[in-house]
Amino acid sequence: MADRPIRGVAPPPPPVAGLLADPAASFAVKDVTRRGAARDCVDATIDARVLCAVFETAAGRMFGGLS
């Protein structure tokens, strides 16, 4: 019973090594992960959040959700 995920709760993200070893992760994600791992983790986090916001906004506009 303890091994079952709780519905509606996302599992924790994998560690960097886990993401790099994941065959399902895209080459683009792995490339950004490798470069980010070599940087200051706070700077990499801030940059990732900025990129996430930019692409979420673009996707929202594409699908009519955001203006």
Side-chain angles (χ1 to χ4, degrees):
M1 187 72 105
D3 293 304
R4 293 180 57 195
I6 299 171
R7 187 178 301 167
V9 177
V16 170
L19 182 60
L20 294 174
D22 184 352
S26 72
F27 290 114
V29 167
K30 289 180 180 182
D31 183 50
V32 170
T33 301
R34 279 187 202 94
R35 288 187 281 141
R39 299 178 56 207
D40 175 80
C41 63
V42 174
D43 288 341
T45 300
I46 292 167
D47 290 349
R49 288 183 176 159
V50 168
L51 289 173
C52 184
V54 167
F55 287 112
E56 283 180 342
T57 299
R61 286 183 179 141
M62 181 182 293
F63 295 105
L66 299 173
S67 56

